Structures are given as C-alpha cells and as structure tokens.
Amino acid sequence: MKRTIRKIQEPRNGIQFIIYPETRKELKPLVFFDGGKFKRSDDGFTIGFHPHSGIGIVIYFHGTDLHHKDSSNNPGVVYDVGAQRIQAGKGVWHEEGYRRKQEAPVNGEWEGSIHQLWIQLPPEVEESDVAYRNLSSEEIPWVGNVKVLAGEYNGVLGPMKIPIQMTYLDVYLKEGETWKWNTPKGQSTGFIFTRDGELEIGNEIIPNSRMAIFEHNEETIEVKAMSPNSNFIVVLAEPSTYNQVVQGGQIHTNSDSLKRSAAHIHSIGQGLRM
C-alpha cells in the first residue's frame, strides 16, 4: 500500500506551515515549520535575540551562511548547505543571521532558502541543559540522491541526534523520476515539503514551496518529480501523546514546566541586558 496525502497545508505569512493549533495537534511532536526562499541585494538579515524552551530546533539552509550567537556562549558560522541542531531545554536566547555566502560576489542579487523545524521535547529532556550541534555540508551523508540529516535511511544514520523517533531526509529528483521509501516502523506522522519544483503523490500535485501532510499510517511513500529539478524534504516521526502548553517560542508538556522555564529565560534575559 502507498501513503496518501491528508491535506496540503497553506502557510501563514508565506512561510509558516505548522503554526495553527489544529496542525500542531495533527503533527505533534512536530510543532513548527518555517520553509521559504528569499532574494536580496544586501549582505543579508538578522533575527535578533529571542528565547526558546521545551523544544528542539533543526535549521537547514541553502544559498546562505548562518551566523549564530546565543546565551550559552556558542557563537559561530555554519556555511551554506550546512545544518544546526539546538536543544533548547529549560531555556536559551539566540540570534540568527542569514548572510551572503562567504565565497559569493560582494555585490549583486543573491538568493537562499531556510527550513526551520521545531520538535516538542519529551518530559525527560524538556528542562535539560542547552545542547548544540553545528554540521558542515560534508558531515551530512548522502545515500544516492538522498541526504540523511536525522534517523536512518538504507542503513545510513544521520548525524543529528534527536531525542524522539524521527527521520529527516532531503531528496533530489529529476523530472519523471520516482522515489519510493518504506516508512520506518512507528513513524506514522509527518510531512513532505517541496524545496524546488513540483511533485506528484498518488493523484495529488504538490506545488513548489508547499507542505503536504501525510495520512497517519506506515505505508510506502512514492513520489514522482514533475519538474526538471524536484527537490524536497521529508520529515516523519513517532506520534506524541503529550499535551502542548504554548507561549510563543516556548512549548512544554505541562504548565509547571513552562513556568519554570519562563522564569529561567527571564533570568537569562536580565543578564543579557546588563
């Protein structure tokens, strides 16, 4: 049997796909996803210091370099087609800047794309210490035409260690090619996002830069490329049974955990303003 599409999710503000409470509930523990492209003629843009807790964050990007600062003293640059994992735990402030690539010409228009996924952490780690992992493009393994960021694909493990059962793949197809993949056991919730081009799943066309949410089952995924370059992200996870208590960029399984983390974030923020 083949997995089918439950619905095509429309974004908020053009880039935010998992934001509405009903979508978060449908996809939990996948609780937020930004996916979009941009064109610029300046050196880039920065999203200033802001807090998170209770979540894990995976940032994956193309055509741009990620300049990072945080309240745990982890500054650095992750270069084009790299990725970053943040386990926010009990609370962290961070700043992310997306800049013109290091080797790109200093003038003229350039373009990039960003894909940011938030994962609700289970109770045993939602108040953990902050953890980071910056990955260069060379550290993300290929299996044929598939990059493996997290989980396992054809016996190859992705380098991102996520504290839930989850798989994150980036797949590259040419027009007319078909990709088939047997869903990992237990990972019955998830989505596909078209980074470039259009896809066909069953009789459903998935337009460019759109998220399609899969039906909840463990059947085979079969995707056909409908454009010269049809590149897409697939994220699957084991469904979560935990509650979602949400306050901006803080998502916890219960209100007491949120209150403790909010107090911790406030304390960190006071120090940042000194």
Side-chain angles (χ1 to χ4, degrees):
M1 297 287 290
K2 298 176 184 177
R3 286 185 81 159
T4 55
I5 296 302
R6 180 181 180 90
K7 67 178 180 181
I8 296 177
Q9 180 66 43
E10 293 300 317
R12 186 186 75 168
N13 299 327
I15 58 171
Q16 297 174 322
F17 289 86
I18 309 175
I19 186 66
Y20 304 106
E22 63 272 17
T23 313
R24 276 201 299 263
K25 183 177 180 180
E26 184 175 25
L27 282 171
K28 68 179 186 177
L30 312 174
V31 292
F32 183 84
F33 182 73
D34 258 350
K37 300 177 181 179
F38 60 87
K39 288 186 178 181
R40 303 185 72 90
S41 55
D42 57 8
D43 287 334
F45 62 96
T46 297
I47 301 169
F49 271 100
H50 57 282
H52 295 290
S53 67
I55 59 172
I57 305 170
V58 176
I59 306 176
Y60 182 47
F61 46 92
H62 299 74
T64 182
D65 293 339
L66 170 59
H67 293 245
H68 173 86
K69 295 179 182 177
D70 65 71
S71 57
S72 295
N73 194 29
N74 290 290
V77 180
V78 189
Y79 296 103
D80 181 32
V81 201
Q84 182 184 70
R85 176 185 68 87
I86 305 172
Q87 186 165 301
K90 62 185 176 183
V92 67
W93 290 74
H94 79 134
E95 175 183 281
E96 52 194 294
Y98 297 95
R99 305 294 176 81
R100 188 187 295 267
K101 292 193 302 182
Q102 184 182 46
E103 71 276 14
V106 295
N107 295 310
E109 191 173 71
W110 60 285
E111 59 183 51
S113 62
I114 306 168
H115 314 91
Q116 183 169 150
L117 174 69
W118 298 3
I119 303 137
Q120 184 179 20
L121 296 174
E124 61 269 22
V125 290
E126 68 180 315
E127 295 182 63
S128 64
D129 290 336
V130 179
Y132 284 85
R133 176 77 190 274
N134 291 334
L135 292 168
S136 67
S137 60
E138 293 78 15
E139 294 177 280
I140 304 173
W142 286 86
V143 180
N145 60 335
V146 178
K147 295 178 72 174
V148 188
L149 280 80
E152 181 177 350
Y153 178 76
N154 286 2
V156 175
L157 293 174
M160 287 197 168
K161 307 306 178 187
I162 310 293
I164 61 169
Q165 292 298 314
M166 189 189 96
T167 307
Y168 190 131
L169 307 177
D170 184 20
V171 185
Y172 294 69
L173 294 180
K174 298 296 184 183
E175 189 170 10
E177 290 182 335
T178 298
W179 179 73
K180 295 182 181 180
W181 180 42
N182 295 326
T183 298
K185 185 172 177 59
Q187 296 184 21
S188 58
T189 189
F191 66 87
I192 190 166
F193 180 79
T194 49
R195 290 202 301 104
D196 298 293
E198 293 187 340
L199 307 172
E200 183 180 56
I201 300 178
N203 295 318
E204 190 89 46
I205 298 296
I206 317 301
N208 181 232
S209 296
R210 282 294 181 273
M211 168 187 283
I213 297 174
F214 289 113
E215 292 284 358
H216 285 223
N217 58 53
E218 297 179 16
E219 307 296 348
T220 299
I221 295 173
E222 183 172 327
V223 181
K224 183 178 180 180
M226 305 301 288
S227 304
N229 292 294
S230 295
N231 309 324
F232 56 94
I233 287 168
V234 180
V235 180
L236 297 182
E238 186 175 60
S240 168
T241 59
Y242 299 115
N243 292 329
Q244 296 177 341
V245 184
V246 181
Q247 181 177 293
Q250 302 173 253
I251 302 178
H252 287 261
T253 65
N254 62 86
S255 57
D256 288 341
S257 180
L258 174 62
K259 288 177 183 176
R260 287 190 294 269
S261 294
H264 181 66
I265 280 173
H266 178 74
S267 176
I268 297 171
Q270 291 294 103
L272 290 175
R273 285 189 284 269
M274 291 177 61

Coordinates of all heavy atoms in Angstrom, one line a residue, residues 203-248:
N203 N -2.6 10.9 -6.8 CA -3.1 11.8 -7.9 C -3.1 13.2 -7.4 O -3.7 14.1 -8.0 CB -4.6 11.4 -8.2 CG -4.7 10.0 -8.8 OD1 -3.9 9.7 -9.6 ND2 -5.7 9.2 -8.4
E204 N -2.3 13.5 -6.4 CA -2.2 14.8 -5.8 C -0.9 15.5 -6.3 O 0.2 15.0 -6.2 CB -2.2 14.8 -4.3 CG -2.3 16.1 -3.6 CD -3.8 16.4 -3.3 OE1 -4.5 15.6 -2.8 OE2 -4.1 17.6 -3.6
I205 N -1.1 16.7 -6.8 CA 0.1 17.6 -7.2 C 0.5 18.5 -6.0 O -0.4 19.2 -5.5 CB -0.2 18.4 -8.4 CG1 -0.5 17.5 -9.6 CG2 1.0 19.3 -8.7 CD1 0.7 16.6 -10.1
I206 N 1.7 18.4 -5.6 CA 2.2 19.3 -4.5 C 3.0 20.4 -5.2 O 4.1 20.2 -5.7 CB 3.1 18.5 -3.6 CG1 2.6 17.1 -3.2 CG2 3.4 19.3 -2.3 CD1 1.2 17.1 -2.6
P207 N 2.5 21.6 -5.1 CA 3.1 22.8 -5.7 C 4.5 23.1 -5.0 O 4.8 22.6 -3.9 CB 2.1 23.9 -5.5 CG 0.8 23.3 -5.2 CD 1.2 22.0 -4.5
N208 N 5.2 23.9 -5.7 CA 6.5 24.4 -5.1 C 6.3 25.1 -3.8 O 5.3 25.9 -3.7 CB 7.3 25.2 -6.1 CG 8.6 25.7 -5.6 OD1 8.9 26.9 -5.7 ND2 9.4 24.8 -5.1
S209 N 7.2 25.0 -2.9 CA 7.2 25.7 -1.6 C 5.8 25.5 -0.8 O 5.3 26.4 -0.3 CB 7.4 27.2 -1.8 OG 8.7 27.4 -2.3
R210 N 5.4 24.2 -0.8 CA 4.2 23.8 -0.1 C 4.5 22.6 0.8 O 5.3 21.7 0.4 CB 3.0 23.6 -1.0 CG 2.4 24.8 -1.5 CD 1.7 25.6 -0.4 NE 1.0 26.8 -0.9 CZ 1.6 28.0 -1.0 NH1 2.9 28.1 -0.7 NH2 0.9 29.0 -1.4
M211 N 3.8 22.5 1.9 CA 3.8 21.4 2.7 C 2.6 20.5 2.5 O 1.5 21.0 2.4 CB 3.8 21.8 4.2 CG 3.6 20.6 5.2 SD 3.4 21.2 6.9 CE 5.1 21.5 7.3
A212 N 2.8 19.2 2.4 CA 1.8 18.2 2.3 C 1.9 17.3 3.4 O 2.9 16.7 3.7 CB 1.9 17.4 0.9
I213 N 0.8 17.1 4.2 CA 0.7 16.3 5.4 C 0.2 14.9 5.0 O -0.8 14.8 4.4 CB -0.2 16.9 6.5 CG1 0.4 18.3 6.9 CG2 -0.3 16.0 7.7 CD1 -0.5 19.1 7.8
F214 N 1.0 13.9 5.4 CA 0.6 12.5 5.1 C -0.5 12.0 6.0 O -0.6 12.5 7.2 CB 1.8 11.6 5.3 CG 2.9 11.7 4.3 CD1 4.2 12.2 4.7 CD2 2.7 11.3 3.0 CE1 5.2 12.4 3.8 CE2 3.7 11.5 2.1 CZ 5.0 12.0 2.4
E215 N -1.3 11.1 5.5 CA -2.2 10.3 6.3 C -1.4 9.6 7.4 O -0.2 9.2 7.1 CB -3.0 9.3 5.5 CG -4.0 9.9 4.5 CD -5.2 10.4 5.2 OE1 -5.3 10.2 6.4 OE2 -6.1 11.0 4.5
H216 N -2.0 9.3 8.5 CA -1.3 8.7 9.6 C -1.3 7.1 9.4 O -2.2 6.5 9.7 CB -1.9 9.0 10.9 CG -1.6 10.4 11.4 ND1 -1.3 10.7 12.7 CD2 -1.5 11.6 10.7 CE1 -1.0 12.0 12.8 NE2 -1.2 12.5 11.6
N217 N -0.2 6.6 8.8 CA 0.0 5.2 8.7 C 1.5 4.9 8.4 O 2.3 5.8 8.4 CB -0.9 4.6 7.6 CG -0.7 5.2 6.2 OD1 0.5 5.3 5.8 ND2 -1.7 5.7 5.6
E218 N 1.8 3.6 8.2 CA 3.2 3.2 8.0 C 3.4 2.6 6.6 O 4.2 1.8 6.4 CB 3.6 2.2 9.1 CG 3.6 2.8 10.5 CD 4.0 1.8 11.5 OE1 4.6 0.8 11.2 OE2 3.8 2.0 12.7
E219 N 2.6 3.1 5.6 CA 2.7 2.6 4.3 C 3.9 3.2 3.5 O 4.6 4.1 4.0 CB 1.4 2.8 3.5 CG 0.2 2.4 4.2 CD 0.1 0.9 4.4 OE1 0.9 0.1 3.8 OE2 -0.7 0.4 5.2
T220 N 4.1 2.7 2.3 CA 5.2 3.1 1.4 C 5.0 4.5 0.9 O 3.9 4.8 0.4 CB 5.5 2.2 0.3 OG1 5.8 0.9 0.8 CG2 6.6 2.6 -0.6
I221 N 6.0 5.4 0.9 CA 5.9 6.7 0.3 C 6.4 6.6 -1.1 O 7.5 6.1 -1.4 CB 6.7 7.7 1.1 CG1 6.1 7.9 2.5 CG2 6.7 9.1 0.3 CD1 6.9 8.8 3.4
E222 N 5.6 7.1 -2.1 CA 6.1 7.1 -3.5 C 5.8 8.5 -4.1 O 4.7 9.0 -4.1 CB 5.3 6.0 -4.3 CG 5.8 5.9 -5.8 CD 5.2 4.8 -6.5 OE1 4.9 3.7 -5.9 OE2 5.0 4.9 -7.8
V223 N 6.9 9.1 -4.6 CA 6.9 10.4 -5.0 C 7.4 10.5 -6.5 O 8.5 9.9 -6.8 CB 7.8 11.3 -4.2 CG1 7.8 12.8 -4.6 CG2 7.4 11.2 -2.7
K224 N 6.7 11.2 -7.3 CA 7.2 11.4 -8.7 C 7.5 12.9 -9.0 O 6.8 13.8 -8.6 CB 6.1 11.0 -9.7 CG 6.5 11.1 -11.2 CD 5.5 10.6 -12.1 CE 5.9 10.7 -13.6 NZ 4.9 10.2 -14.5
A225 N 8.7 13.1 -9.6 CA 9.1 14.5 -9.9 C 8.3 15.0 -11.1 O 8.3 14.4 -12.2 CB 10.6 14.6 -10.1
M226 N 7.8 16.2 -11.0 CA 7.1 16.8 -12.1 C 7.8 18.0 -12.7 O 7.2 18.7 -13.6 CB 5.7 17.2 -11.6 CG 4.9 16.1 -11.0 SD 4.6 14.7 -12.1 CE 3.4 15.4 -13.2
S227 N 9.0 18.3 -12.2 CA 9.7 19.5 -12.7 C 11.2 19.1 -13.0 O 11.6 18.0 -12.4 CB 9.7 20.6 -11.7 OG 8.4 21.0 -11.4
P228 N 11.9 19.8 -13.8 CA 13.3 19.5 -14.1 C 14.1 19.2 -12.8 O 14.9 18.3 -12.8 CB 13.8 20.7 -14.9 CG 12.6 21.2 -15.5 CD 11.5 21.0 -14.6
N229 N 14.0 20.0 -11.8 CA 14.6 19.8 -10.5 C 13.5 19.8 -9.4 O 13.0 20.8 -9.1 CB 15.7 20.8 -10.2 CG 16.8 20.7 -11.2 OD1 17.6 19.7 -11.1 ND2 17.0 21.7 -12.0
S230 N 13.2 18.6 -8.9 CA 12.2 18.5 -7.9 C 12.9 18.0 -6.6 O 13.1 16.8 -6.4 CB 11.1 17.5 -8.3 OG 10.4 18.0 -9.4
N231 N 13.2 19.0 -5.8 CA 13.9 18.6 -4.5 C 13.0 18.9 -3.4 O 12.2 19.8 -3.3 CB 15.2 19.5 -4.4 CG 16.1 19.5 -5.6 OD1 16.2 18.5 -6.2 ND2 16.7 20.6 -5.9
F232 N 13.0 18.0 -2.4 CA 12.0 18.0 -1.3 C 12.6 17.5 0.0 O 13.5 16.6 0.0 CB 10.7 17.3 -1.7 CG 10.9 15.9 -2.1 CD1 10.8 14.9 -1.2 CD2 11.2 15.6 -3.4 CE1 10.9 13.5 -1.6 CE2 11.4 14.2 -3.8 CZ 11.2 13.2 -2.9
I233 N 12.0 17.9 1.1 CA 12.3 17.5 2.4 C 11.2 16.5 2.9 O 10.0 16.8 2.6 CB 12.4 18.7 3.4 CG1 13.7 19.4 3.1 CG2 12.3 18.2 4.8 CD1 13.7 20.8 3.8
V234 N 11.5 15.4 3.5 CA 10.6 14.5 4.1 C 10.9 14.4 5.6 O 12.1 14.2 6.0 CB 10.6 13.1 3.5 CG1 9.6 12.2 4.2 CG2 10.3 13.2 2.0
V235 N 9.9 14.7 6.5 CA 10.1 14.5 7.9 C 9.0 13.6 8.4 O 7.8 13.9 8.2 CB 10.1 15.9 8.6 CG1 10.3 15.7 10.2 CG2 11.1 16.8 8.1
L236 N 9.4 12.5 9.1 CA 8.5 11.6 9.7 C 8.9 11.4 11.2 O 10.0 11.6 11.6 CB 8.5 10.2 9.1 CG 8.2 10.1 7.6 CD1 8.2 8.7 7.2 CD2 6.8 10.7 7.4
A237 N 7.9 11.2 12.0 CA 8.1 11.0 13.5 C 7.1 10.0 14.1 O 6.0 9.8 13.5 CB 8.1 12.3 14.2
E238 N 7.5 9.5 15.2 CA 6.5 8.7 16.0 C 5.6 9.7 16.7 O 6.0 10.7 17.3 CB 7.3 7.9 17.0 CG 6.4 7.0 17.8 CD 7.3 6.1 18.8 OE1 8.0 6.7 19.6 OE2 7.3 4.9 18.6
P239 N 4.3 9.5 16.6 CA 3.3 10.5 17.2 C 3.6 10.7 18.7 O 4.0 9.7 19.4 CB 2.0 9.8 16.9 CG 2.2 8.9 15.8 CD 3.6 8.4 15.9
S240 N 3.3 11.9 19.1 CA 3.4 12.2 20.6 C 2.1 12.2 21.2 O 1.0 12.5 20.6 CB 4.1 13.6 20.7 OG 3.9 14.0 22.0
T241 N 2.0 11.7 22.5 CA 0.8 11.7 23.3 C 0.8 12.9 24.3 O -0.2 13.0 25.1 CB 0.6 10.4 24.0 OG1 1.8 10.2 24.9 CG2 0.6 9.2 23.0
Y242 N 1.8 13.7 24.3 CA 1.9 14.7 25.3 C 1.1 16.0 25.0 O 0.9 16.3 23.8 CB 3.4 15.1 25.5 CG 4.3 14.0 26.0 CD1 5.3 13.5 25.2 CD2 4.1 13.4 27.2 CE1 6.1 12.4 25.6 CE2 4.9 12.3 27.6 CZ 5.9 11.8 26.8 OH 6.6 10.8 27.2
N243 N 0.7 16.6 26.1 CA 0.0 17.9 25.9 C 0.9 19.0 25.3 O 2.2 18.8 25.4 CB -0.6 18.4 27.2 CG -1.7 17.5 27.8 OD1 -2.4 16.9 27.0 ND2 -1.8 17.4 29.1
Q244 N 0.4 20.0 24.8 CA 1.1 21.2 24.3 C 0.7 22.4 25.0 O -0.4 22.9 24.9 CB 0.9 21.3 22.8 CG 1.4 20.1 22.0 CD 1.2 20.3 20.5 OE1 0.3 21.1 20.1 NE2 1.9 19.6 19.7
V245 N 1.6 23.0 25.8 CA 1.4 24.2 26.5 C 2.3 25.2 25.9 O 3.5 25.1 26.0 CB 1.7 24.1 28.0 CG1 1.3 25.4 28.7 CG2 0.9 22.9 28.6
V246 N 1.7 26.2 25.2 CA 2.4 27.1 24.2 C 2.5 28.5 24.7 O 1.4 29.1 25.1 CB 1.8 27.0 22.8 CG1 2.6 27.9 21.9 CG2 1.7 25.6 22.3
Q247 N 3.7 29.1 24.7 CA 3.8 30.5 25.0 C 4.9 31.0 24.0 O 6.1 31.0 24.3 CB 4.2 30.7 26.4 CG 4.4 32.2 26.8 CD 4.7 32.4 28.3 OE1 3.8 32.1 29.1 NE2 5.9 32.8 28.6
G248 N 4.5 31.5 22.9 CA 5.5 31.9 21.9 C 6.4 30.8 21.5 O 6.0 29.8 21.0

